[in-house]
Amino acid sequence: MALKIEYEGVDITDTIGVDSVNQPHRCWIDQYSEGHADTIKVVFADSEGQWDTWHPQSGEKIRIYNDNVDSGIQYVRGVYPAVGKYEIDAASTPITMESERRDSWNEITKLSLANDIASRHKLALKTYGVTDCKFKSLKQDMENDLSFFESLCVLEGDSFLVYNGKLILYSDSYMENQSPSKTIDLSADSKMEYQDEQKITALTVTDGSTSYTYGGDTSRLEIVKIPIHIDSTGTAERWAKNLHHHINKMDKSGPFYINPLADGYTAGSIAILKTNRIPSFDGKIFIHHARHDMINNKTKVFFRCI
């Protein structure tokens, strides 16, 4: 299927003259499993100023897809008219999620908080393998919901993404233990980059009164002071372990390229990688970011070994 473009729920593919011959100058769809909203960056040919007469507005919905890749509904963040072309940038998170806010809670569970955040931004909540817990006291002080919730997820060993109107919360360990969906067999001359370096050997988490150190070798010790009350040694141990994993989980990672673009290379998926030249990187991987070049028909896949 050729590229399809929907704007505010209307298929405008034919209206803007996009077909197998007349393609946008550029169309990148970036998908992330954590820490970043999915994004669209598209540059349309616009010699007659059609887009400019439509006056696209921040917050309006755009979706771009074909048989292999679907951006899901995203929200316009910026429009950039130029001579003969028109660029639109969009993100999967509603604009409201970027607003700073103050709030506080006592005795709230993680899933209740996740549901509150999802509801506030008109998102449906879906969870995978998440173990609920209760926070004795939480305070959000002029921080947006994205960064606030992400910091809690890191402590709990969870991650989340926003895709197509859903806030998807998942346990890192649950996802890493899923069966691979495919085997990726790279040719010996495939373009691949990689890094192999453990960042820390141990981590101490502290709130100023309660502390716990995870990892026996303290030669590269990271000390993390958090603004959240640690209510028990068990909580401190869990948070130290999860922070240690979060900092080190990219220690064996890198990108490779798939050409032509194909389905199944979605951020958050598990695969088996065969490099045919770097044996230490062969095995199970987690795809944490995929950049789909919809015009040049290729994908840059960012992975980490698990």
Side-chain angles (χ1 to χ4, degrees), residues 6 24 27 29-30 49 65 97 107-108 140 146 149 152 163 165 218 248 250 260 263 273 289:
E6 292 179 3
C27 184
I29 296 174
D30 280 270
Y65 61 98
M97 295 192 85
E107 304 291 343
I108 187 168
Q140 184 176 357
L146 286 169
F149 193 52
L152 295 178
Y163 177 74
T218 57
N248 273 337
M250 296 294 184
D263 63 0
L273 179 63
H289 174 199

mmCIF file of all heavy atoms in Angstrom, residues 6 24 27 29-30 49 65 97 107-108 140 146 149 152 163 165 218 248 250 260 263 273 289:
data_model
loop_
_atom_site.group_PDB
_atom_site.id
_atom_site.type_symbol
_atom_site.label_atom_id
_atom_site.label_comp_id
_atom_site.label_asym_id
_atom_site.label_seq_id
_atom_site.Cartn_x
_atom_site.Cartn_y
_atom_site.Cartn_z
ATOM 1 N N GLU A 6 -3.713 10.982 6.946
ATOM 2 C CA GLU A 6 -4.977 11.447 7.501
ATOM 3 C C GLU A 6 -4.713 12.703 8.318
ATOM 4 O O GLU A 6 -3.712 12.797 9.033
ATOM 5 C CB GLU A 6 -5.608 10.384 8.405
ATOM 6 C CG GLU A 6 -6.088 9.153 7.666
ATOM 7 C CD GLU A 6 -6.695 8.113 8.600
ATOM 8 O OE1 GLU A 6 -6.792 8.395 9.820
ATOM 9 O OE2 GLU A 6 -7.070 7.034 8.120
ATOM 10 N N PRO A 24 6.126 12.998 -0.530
ATOM 11 C CA PRO A 24 6.709 14.113 0.226
ATOM 12 C C PRO A 24 8.231 14.130 0.056
ATOM 13 O O PRO A 24 8.850 13.115 -0.259
ATOM 14 C CB PRO A 24 6.313 13.789 1.669
ATOM 15 C CG PRO A 24 5.108 12.925 1.557
ATOM 16 C CD PRO A 24 5.331 12.101 0.317
ATOM 17 N N CYS A 27 9.771 12.043 4.973
ATOM 18 C CA CYS A 27 8.773 11.562 5.926
ATOM 19 C C CYS A 27 9.420 10.550 6.859
ATOM 20 O O CYS A 27 9.689 9.413 6.461
ATOM 21 C CB CYS A 27 7.574 10.939 5.213
ATOM 22 S SG CYS A 27 6.273 10.427 6.358
ATOM 23 N N ILE A 29 9.080 8.625 10.553
ATOM 24 C CA ILE A 29 8.282 8.261 11.726
ATOM 25 C C ILE A 29 9.228 7.619 12.729
ATOM 26 O O ILE A 29 9.839 6.590 12.441
ATOM 27 C CB ILE A 29 7.147 7.288 11.360
ATOM 28 C CG1 ILE A 29 6.161 7.955 10.403
ATOM 29 C CG2 ILE A 29 6.432 6.806 12.617
ATOM 30 C CD1 ILE A 29 5.092 7.022 9.868
ATOM 31 N N ASP A 30 9.383 8.253 13.878
ATOM 32 C CA ASP A 30 10.233 7.725 14.945
ATOM 33 C C ASP A 30 9.349 7.138 16.035
ATOM 34 O O ASP A 30 8.462 7.824 16.558
ATOM 35 C CB ASP A 30 11.114 8.818 15.532
ATOM 36 C CG ASP A 30 12.341 9.113 14.691
ATOM 37 O OD1 ASP A 30 13.375 8.464 14.920
ATOM 38 O OD2 ASP A 30 12.261 9.976 13.793
ATOM 39 N N GLY A 49 1.006 26.383 -2.437
ATOM 40 C CA GLY A 49 0.646 26.961 -1.144
ATOM 41 C C GLY A 49 -0.626 26.412 -0.537
ATOM 42 O O GLY A 49 -1.291 27.075 0.264
ATOM 43 N N TYR A 65 0.674 6.373 7.415
ATOM 44 C CA TYR A 65 0.854 4.922 7.492
ATOM 45 C C TYR A 65 0.935 4.306 6.106
ATOM 46 O O TYR A 65 0.572 4.910 5.094
ATOM 47 C CB TYR A 65 -0.299 4.291 8.281
ATOM 48 C CG TYR A 65 -1.670 4.501 7.670
ATOM 49 C CD1 TYR A 65 -2.266 3.517 6.894
ATOM 50 C CD2 TYR A 65 -2.365 5.684 7.883
ATOM 51 C CE1 TYR A 65 -3.531 3.696 6.338
ATOM 52 C CE2 TYR A 65 -3.633 5.875 7.342
ATOM 53 C CZ TYR A 65 -4.203 4.880 6.562
ATOM 54 O OH TYR A 65 -5.442 5.068 6.016
ATOM 55 N N MET A 97 0.131 17.132 28.098
ATOM 56 C CA MET A 97 1.085 16.394 28.930
ATOM 57 C C MET A 97 2.370 17.177 29.164
ATOM 58 O O MET A 97 3.176 16.809 30.027
ATOM 59 C CB MET A 97 1.421 15.038 28.306
ATOM 60 C CG MET A 97 0.250 14.088 28.223
ATOM 61 S SD MET A 97 0.713 12.383 27.811
ATOM 62 C CE MET A 97 1.129 11.744 29.431
ATOM 63 N N GLU A 107 -0.756 7.990 50.177
ATOM 64 C CA GLU A 107 -1.265 6.620 50.086
ATOM 65 C C GLU A 107 -1.959 6.353 48.742
ATOM 66 O O GLU A 107 -3.104 5.897 48.680
ATOM 67 C CB GLU A 107 -2.247 6.333 51.243
ATOM 68 C CG GLU A 107 -1.681 6.553 52.628
ATOM 69 C CD GLU A 107 -0.619 5.527 53.008
ATOM 70 O OE1 GLU A 107 -0.562 4.474 52.346
ATOM 71 O OE2 GLU A 107 0.140 5.771 53.968
ATOM 72 N N ILE A 108 -1.247 6.635 47.653
ATOM 73 C CA ILE A 108 -1.804 6.378 46.323
ATOM 74 C C ILE A 108 -1.048 5.227 45.664
ATOM 75 O O ILE A 108 0.187 5.113 45.802
ATOM 76 C CB ILE A 108 -1.771 7.645 45.431
ATOM 77 C CG1 ILE A 108 -2.529 7.366 44.118
ATOM 78 C CG2 ILE A 108 -0.337 8.104 45.161
ATOM 79 C CD1 ILE A 108 -2.808 8.609 43.303
ATOM 80 N N GLN A 140 4.295 16.530 43.223
ATOM 81 C CA GLN A 140 4.659 17.000 41.888
ATOM 82 C C GLN A 140 4.749 18.523 41.962
ATOM 83 O O GLN A 140 3.756 19.197 42.232
ATOM 84 C CB GLN A 140 3.606 16.560 40.868
ATOM 85 C CG GLN A 140 3.927 16.921 39.428
ATOM 86 C CD GLN A 140 2.885 16.370 38.451
ATOM 87 O OE1 GLN A 140 1.961 15.674 38.863
ATOM 88 N NE2 GLN A 140 3.027 16.678 37.180
ATOM 89 N N LEU A 146 4.713 13.970 31.996
ATOM 90 C CA LEU A 146 5.624 13.043 31.326
ATOM 91 C C LEU A 146 6.866 12.780 32.164
ATOM 92 O O LEU A 146 7.220 11.630 32.439
ATOM 93 C CB LEU A 146 6.022 13.592 29.954
ATOM 94 C CG LEU A 146 4.967 13.526 28.853
ATOM 95 C CD1 LEU A 146 5.421 14.338 27.646
ATOM 96 C CD2 LEU A 146 4.686 12.093 28.457
ATOM 97 N N PHE A 149 5.973 11.203 35.827
ATOM 98 C CA PHE A 149 5.620 9.789 35.833
ATOM 99 C C PHE A 149 6.793 8.923 35.403
ATOM 100 O O PHE A 149 6.980 7.818 35.925
ATOM 101 C CB PHE A 149 4.407 9.544 34.933
ATOM 102 C CG PHE A 149 3.786 8.199 35.098
ATOM 103 C CD1 PHE A 149 3.427 7.721 36.356
ATOM 104 C CD2 PHE A 149 3.544 7.384 34.004
ATOM 105 C CE1 PHE A 149 2.855 6.469 36.514
ATOM 106 C CE2 PHE A 149 2.975 6.130 34.150
ATOM 107 C CZ PHE A 149 2.626 5.669 35.409
ATOM 108 N N LEU A 152 9.066 8.087 38.336
ATOM 109 C CA LEU A 152 8.507 7.037 39.190
ATOM 110 C C LEU A 152 8.637 5.667 38.538
ATOM 111 O O LEU A 152 8.941 4.674 39.208
ATOM 112 C CB LEU A 152 7.033 7.330 39.480
ATOM 113 C CG LEU A 152 6.718 8.581 40.298
ATOM 114 C CD1 LEU A 152 5.213 8.738 40.452
ATOM 115 C CD2 LEU A 152 7.381 8.528 41.664
ATOM 116 N N TYR A 163 0.898 5.761 22.474
ATOM 117 C CA TYR A 163 0.714 5.408 21.070
ATOM 118 C C TYR A 163 -0.767 5.360 20.730
ATOM 119 O O TYR A 163 -1.542 4.663 21.391
ATOM 120 C CB TYR A 163 1.348 4.049 20.754
ATOM 121 C CG TYR A 163 1.118 3.597 19.325
ATOM 122 C CD1 TYR A 163 1.811 4.183 18.272
ATOM 123 C CD2 TYR A 163 0.172 2.623 19.031
ATOM 124 C CE1 TYR A 163 1.586 3.800 16.963
ATOM 125 C CE2 TYR A 163 -0.058 2.224 17.719
ATOM 126 C CZ TYR A 163 0.650 2.822 16.692
ATOM 127 O OH TYR A 163 0.416 2.447 15.397
ATOM 128 N N GLY A 165 -3.407 7.197 21.090
ATOM 129 C CA GLY A 165 -4.427 7.472 22.095
ATOM 130 C C GLY A 165 -4.390 6.581 23.310
ATOM 131 O O GLY A 165 -5.344 6.571 24.097
ATOM 132 N N THR A 218 32.107 -1.701 44.091
ATOM 133 C CA THR A 218 31.817 -0.264 44.173
ATOM 134 C C THR A 218 32.877 0.588 43.473
ATOM 135 O O THR A 218 32.991 1.784 43.742
ATOM 136 C CB THR A 218 31.697 0.175 45.643
ATOM 137 O OG1 THR A 218 32.917 -0.152 46.333
ATOM 138 C CG2 THR A 218 30.523 -0.515 46.327
ATOM 139 N N ASN A 248 22.352 0.926 33.314
ATOM 140 C CA ASN A 248 23.227 0.000 32.588
ATOM 141 C C ASN A 248 22.564 -0.704 31.402
ATOM 142 O O ASN A 248 23.242 -1.398 30.642
ATOM 143 C CB ASN A 248 23.753 -1.082 33.534
ATOM 144 C CG ASN A 248 25.018 -0.653 34.263
ATOM 145 O OD1 ASN A 248 25.740 0.223 33.806
ATOM 146 N ND2 ASN A 248 25.271 -1.262 35.412
ATOM 147 N N MET A 250 21.653 0.067 28.540
ATOM 148 C CA MET A 250 22.146 0.374 27.196
ATOM 149 C C MET A 250 23.630 0.041 27.041
ATOM 150 O O MET A 250 24.258 0.473 26.077
ATOM 151 C CB MET A 250 21.929 1.853 26.879
ATOM 152 C CG MET A 250 20.482 2.273 26.829
ATOM 153 S SD MET A 250 19.585 1.504 25.466
ATOM 154 C CE MET A 250 17.997 2.300 25.659
ATOM 155 N N PRO A 260 14.725 -3.253 2.295
ATOM 156 C CA PRO A 260 13.643 -2.266 2.395
ATOM 157 C C PRO A 260 12.915 -2.318 3.736
ATOM 158 O O PRO A 260 13.027 -3.284 4.484
ATOM 159 C CB PRO A 260 12.703 -2.688 1.266
ATOM 160 C CG PRO A 260 12.885 -4.172 1.180
ATOM 161 C CD PRO A 260 14.351 -4.411 1.461
ATOM 162 N N ASP A 263 7.596 -4.726 8.135
ATOM 163 C CA ASP A 263 6.885 -4.663 9.410
ATOM 164 C C ASP A 263 7.618 -5.496 10.456
ATOM 165 O O ASP A 263 8.544 -6.244 10.159
ATOM 166 C CB ASP A 263 5.437 -5.137 9.244
ATOM 167 C CG ASP A 263 5.340 -6.588 8.813
ATOM 168 O OD1 ASP A 263 6.395 -7.226 8.636
ATOM 169 O OD2 ASP A 263 4.210 -7.079 8.642
ATOM 170 N N LEU A 273 18.887 -11.475 17.289
ATOM 171 C CA LEU A 273 19.796 -10.838 16.343
ATOM 172 C C LEU A 273 20.951 -11.785 16.015
ATOM 173 O O LEU A 273 21.572 -12.365 16.908
ATOM 174 C CB LEU A 273 20.353 -9.540 16.931
ATOM 175 C CG LEU A 273 21.356 -8.767 16.054
ATOM 176 C CD1 LEU A 273 20.694 -8.287 14.762
ATOM 177 C CD2 LEU A 273 21.937 -7.586 16.821
ATOM 178 N N HIS A 289 13.945 1.852 19.842
ATOM 179 C CA HIS A 289 13.695 3.009 18.979
ATOM 180 C C HIS A 289 13.794 2.530 17.537
ATOM 181 O O HIS A 289 14.705 1.772 17.192
ATOM 182 C CB HIS A 289 14.740 4.096 19.277
ATOM 183 C CG HIS A 289 14.695 5.292 18.365
ATOM 184 N ND1 HIS A 289 15.775 6.157 18.253
ATOM 185 C CD2 HIS A 289 13.746 5.773 17.526
ATOM 186 C CE1 HIS A 289 15.486 7.113 17.381
ATOM 187 N NE2 HIS A 289 14.251 6.905 16.930
#
